[in-house]
Amino acid sequence: MSAAAIVMLVVALLLVWGGLVAALLHLRKHPEEFDVVEDGHQEYPPST
């Protein structure tokens, strides 16, 4: 494998794993909030 291919592989891996880490950190700081219905039960977001 050439040096250019290895560099591109490392860059791609850093982008993917870095994006995953950034998304997890963002979810930790800003968790998803659920709507509370009038009777006090939580309404969960629709699963799609």
Side-chain angles (χ1 to χ4, degrees):
M1 210 184 307
S2 69
I6 293 173
V7 168
M8 289 180 65
L9 174 70
V10 170
V11 169
L13 286 173
L14 288 175
L15 280 173
V16 170
W17 286 104
L20 176 65
V21 169
L24 290 174
L25 290 175
H26 178 56
L27 278 174
R28 261 188 152 179
K29 288 183 179 180
H30 309 284
E32 187 173 346
E33 297 177 5
F34 299 114
D35 294 334
V36 176
V37 185
E38 293 174 4
D39 60 359
H41 291 94
Q42 286 186 345
E43 183 178 322
Y44 296 99
S47 59
T48 57

